[in-house]
Amino acid sequence: MLRRKGFTLIVSGPSGAGKSSLCRAIVAGDAGVGMCVTTTTRPPRPDEVEGRDRFFLSEEAFRERVRQGAFAEWASVHGFLYGTTREALRAAQEHHDVVILDVDVQGAKHWRQQLQEACVTVFVVPPSLAGLKQRLIGRGTDAGEDLERRIENAREEMAHAGSYGYLIINDRIEDAVSLLRAIVAAERCRSIRYEGDIVKEMMSGE
Ligand code: ADP
Ligand code: 5GP
């Protein structure tokens, strides 16, 4: 039997680039694609739901989970801790062939080394830094120092764009969603994703 293996889709980019918007759109239109929900010590935003968008923990509880070995990867980002539990990964992989991980450049580096061809990396950028600031202000979830820190970090994060397999400039959201869908479709077709004997498979259908 010819079997198609799944892959992990790593999505990174500066805060406000549109990662969550893009990921939500492709998950909604493809039952084979699912998010891996990550854990953070950042306070929840008004529209965020525990377990759907993130798992929220105090810093003390997060560090305890680190000691227990619960995280496959974790890092400090924009002044808070973020991590991917083995449990959340397993849950996402059980239901989807393509699992999305929205992680920062440190997380992407970890997964690239760990998974190699079994991961696909996509970097999302806004058309300009000025536009990025407007989007962050428009989102209205981060204010004052937190907003400034996210903008300050953007330049440094963007310097890593070249280490990613794909770059999406998120100008019109519909175009960016189409590009991400096209990447998923093309990556699903790669011959390395298939296990089994193609000749045997074709002969059995004669
Ligand atoms: P990220 O997950 O990368 O931090 P979000 O997906 O939360 O970014 O997007 C930040 C803000 O910008 C949100 O308010 C979102 O609705 C908006 N946004 C996302 N993509 C676009 C786009 N292409 N054009 C205009 N606004 C966008
Ligand atoms: P936000 O606070 O906007 O939800 O996320 C901030 C940043 O943390 C984003 O760049 C996001 O990709 C990153 N992030 C979320 N979860 C993880 C994780 O498990 N590991 C790493 N390294 N980064 C994460």
Side-chain angles (χ1 to χ4, degrees), residues 121-140:
T121 57
V122 178
F123 199 83
V124 182
V125 289
S128 71
L129 266 180
L132 182 82
K133 189 168 183 177
Q134 282 318 307
R135 281 184 193 175
L136 279 174
I137 293 169
R139 186 168 73 184

Side-chain angles (χ1 to χ4, degrees), residues 134-155:
Q134 282 318 307
R135 281 184 193 175
L136 279 174
I137 293 169
R139 186 168 73 184
T141 52
D142 314 278
E145 250 179 51
D146 196 21
L147 180 82
E148 289 308 321
R149 190 184 301 132
R150 283 168 186 263
I151 292 162
E152 266 167 36
N153 291 343
R155 194 183 300 266

Side-chain angles (χ1 to χ4, degrees), residues 21-67:
S21 310
L22 282 174
C23 294
R24 266 199 299 271
I26 73 153
V27 163
D30 186 336
V33 183
M35 290 301 296
C36 174
V37 181
T38 66
T39 302
T40 184
T41 61
R42 164 176 72 63
R45 295 172 181 151
D47 62 336
E48 282 182 326
V49 175
E50 164 82 19
R52 184 195 68 184
D53 302 296
R54 293 260 186 260
F55 294 104
F56 298 96
L57 286 182
S58 66
E59 183 162 343
E60 194 190 351
F62 190 104
R63 293 202 181 276
E64 180 54 29
R65 300 287 282 142
V66 171
R67 278 191 291 275

